[in-house]
Amino acid sequence: MENIKKYIEELCSVMTVSGFEHRNKEKILSLGKEIFDETITDSVGSYLFVKRSKKENAPRILIDAHIDEIGFMVTEICEGGFLKFTSVGGLDAHVLQGAEVNVYGKEKIFGIITSTPPHLLTKETRNNLEKIEQLYIDTGYSEETLEKLIPVGSPASFCENCISLSNNIICGHGFDNKVCCASAFDALSGVSADELAFDVYLLLSCREEYGGFIGAQTGADRAQAEFAVSLDVNFARAPEIDETLSVKMGDGYSVSISAVTSRKFTKKIIELSKRNGLPYQPIAEPNNVGTNGNVLGLTNLGIPCVDLGIPLGSMHTFSESASLCDCKALSRLLSLIVCDTSLATEVCNARKN
C-alpha cells in the first residue's frame, strides 16, 4: 500500500482545480513515464496514458478517473491584503472559515479564509451561515502587491495536508478523485505488456467537478475504446448519512448497479471480484451514478461501462479521508480486469454484434 500512498501524496501536491489541470502538467506526466508507452495531453485539460498489449488486435479499454478538484477563483482584490473569491465546483461554506489555502497567480502565495470571532456575532448572524461571496482570503500582502501577483481569475485550493491515521486511513484534500487516479497508476505499474489482454487507455479527465463531463467525452472520443471503467469516489458511511446512499470505508470498493451502466459487464466484474476474494460493495444507483459513467455510454456509438468507487469521508472538504485498503483492493481489481483474456473476448464479441 506504500506505493498507492506515494501516488496519492504526489498527485495531491499538484493543484488541479477545474479548468487549471495543466498548470503543473510536467509532474503529472512524470508519474506515468516508466509505466506507459505514450502520454497525451489535450486542449481541454485531460491526460491520456496509453499502455499497449503485445497481443494482436487486442481490444481497447478506457479507465477514466477525473483529475480535477474543487477549489476557488479570485474575483476581486481588496484593501488590506484581502481577496474576494467564488467557488469552483461544489464547495461547502460550512467548512471554509479559517481554512488554509494557496493562491496561484504569478507566484504561489499562502492565505487564510477569514472568520468572524463568535464574540462579535449578533443574534441574527450567529444562526445564519455566511455565503461564499461574503468571505475573504487574508494574505497579509498589500493591495498594490496583490494586484501585481494575483490577477483576477487566479485559482486557489486548500493547502496540501496528507496525513496518516490509524488502520490504514489517510486524509487530505483533493482525494476526490486522486485516490482513484493513484489506484489506477498502481494497478498498471504492476502488469507487463505480455500480461495485458487489452490496449489500456488511462484517462485522467478534466472538468468533472462542475458537472460538465467535458474531459470524459473528449478523452473517450480520442481513445475509441470498446469497453470503459469509470472510477470515482463514493460517499463513505457515517452517522446521519443514509445507508442506501453510502458504502462502508474499509469494506472494499463500490460497484454501481445502474441503468446507465452495462448490466452484463457489471455482473462480470462482480464475478471477477468474487473469484479472487476481493472486497466489494454493490450500491443501487438506478438513474444516475453521479460520475463520468453517466456520459461514457453515450460517447461515439456507445461504450459499455462499469462504475467503481472508493468510499470517501468528509467529501469536498480540506480533510477528506479514505482507506488505503480500499484503494489497494481497487488497484488489484483493475490489474485483473486489464489482464483478463475471457473479458477481452467478451468485449470483442460485443463489438461484433
Side-chain angles (χ1 to χ4, degrees):
M1 289 185 286
E2 284 301 315
N3 198 42
I4 286 182
K5 183 181 177 183
K6 179 182 176 182
Y7 279 127
I8 293 173
E9 292 172 343
E10 291 283 349
L11 287 165
C12 290
S13 70
V14 179
M15 186 277 292
T16 57
V17 171
S18 290
F20 298 92
E21 296 89 349
H22 273 187
R23 189 177 178 100
N24 293 295
K25 66 179 181 180
E26 290 79 12
K27 185 167 184 178
I28 294 176
L29 291 173
S30 69
L31 295 177
K33 185 177 180 180
E34 303 300 324
I35 306 172
F36 297 92
D37 303 314
E38 183 180 0
T39 58
I40 302 167
T41 56
D42 65 21
S43 59
V44 298
S46 297
Y47 301 84
L48 190 63
F49 298 86
V50 184
K51 188 166 186 171
R52 295 183 178 86
S53 169
K54 289 190 175 180
K55 295 179 174 60
E56 190 175 353
N57 296 321
R60 296 185 178 192
I61 182 172
L62 175 72
I63 300 175
D64 170 79
H66 75 83
I67 187 69
D68 64 312
E69 61 184 332
I70 59 169
F72 318 90
M73 180 179 285
V74 174
T75 59
E76 185 180 345
I77 298 169
C78 306
E79 292 183 11
F82 295 95
L83 300 171
K84 293 196 75 171
F85 62 93
T86 191
S87 61
V88 179
L91 282 171
D92 183 354
H94 288 85
V95 302
L96 294 186
Q97 296 187 40
E100 299 178 346
V101 299
N102 289 319
V103 186
Y104 297 85
K106 295 178 181 177
E107 295 181 11
K108 172 183 170 182
I109 66 171
F110 175 78
I112 298 175
I113 297 178
T114 55
S115 174
T116 303
H119 321 70
L120 303 180
L121 295 173
T122 65
K123 288 183 179 180
E124 291 75 21
T125 59
R126 184 173 287 110
N127 296 319
N128 293 324
L129 180 69
E130 289 185 288
K131 297 179 180 179
I132 290 176
E133 290 74 15
Q134 295 174 298
L135 300 174
Y136 296 83
I137 297 173
D138 186 359
T139 69
Y141 287 85
S142 68
E143 182 180 2
E144 293 76 14
T145 301
L146 286 179
E147 287 177 343
K148 295 177 182 177
L149 295 180
I150 309 296
V152 168
S154 296
S157 68
F158 293 123
C159 288
E160 304 89 346
N161 65 333
C162 282
I163 301 170
S164 295
L165 304 180
S166 60
N167 296 318
N168 292 308
I169 303 298
I170 186 171
C171 68
H173 97 282
F175 284 17
D176 178 6
N177 180 42
K178 292 175 181 177
V179 290
C180 288
C181 298
S183 295
F185 272 129
D186 182 68
L188 294 167
S189 68
V191 295
S192 67
D194 291 318
E195 297 173 290
L196 289 176
F198 293 86
D199 287 338
V200 181
Y201 289 73
L202 172 60
L203 175 65
L204 304 189
S205 53
C206 69
R207 307 191 192 183
E208 189 271 348
E209 285 297 353
Y210 61 79
F213 305 120
I214 293 173
Q217 289 179 306
T218 56
D221 187 65
R222 181 187 289 268
Q224 294 289 306
E226 289 101 354
F227 177 49
V229 178
S230 175
L231 307 178
D232 207 339
V233 292
N234 217 322
F235 302 111
R237 195 158 300 163
E240 300 185 10
I241 292 181
D242 190 336
E243 291 190 3
T244 64
L245 302 176
S246 59
V247 284
K248 292 182 180 180
M249 188 183 298
D251 278 15
Y253 47 84
S254 64
V255 181
S256 178
I257 313 298
S258 177
V260 302
T261 55
S262 167
R263 185 167 299 177
K264 173 183 177 181
F265 286 109
T266 298
K267 182 179 178 181
K268 289 191 172 297
I269 296 307
I270 290 175
E271 291 171 350
L272 186 63
S273 301
K274 288 180 177 179
R275 285 199 307 271
N276 290 277
L278 295 176
Y280 73 95
Q281 303 175 75
I283 183 168
E285 297 176 309
N287 304 311
N288 183 352
V289 294
T291 73
N292 285 338
N294 283 339
V295 300
L296 292 176
L298 301 175
T299 305
N300 299 327
L301 297 178
I303 306 173
C305 176
V306 298
D307 190 85
L308 307 173
I310 290 175
L312 190 73
S314 303
M315 192 181 296
H316 283 200
T317 71
F318 50 79
S319 292
E320 297 172 323
S321 58
S323 166
L324 291 173
C325 297
D326 295 336
C327 296
K328 189 61 183 180
L330 179 61
S331 168
R332 177 60 178 151
L333 175 67
L334 293 173
S335 65
L336 291 170
I337 288 173
V338 297
C339 295
D340 193 316
T341 54
S342 64
L343 180 62
T345 300
E346 287 281 353
V347 169
C348 290
N349 290 338
R351 176 180 58 189
K352 293 175 183 177
N353 295 331

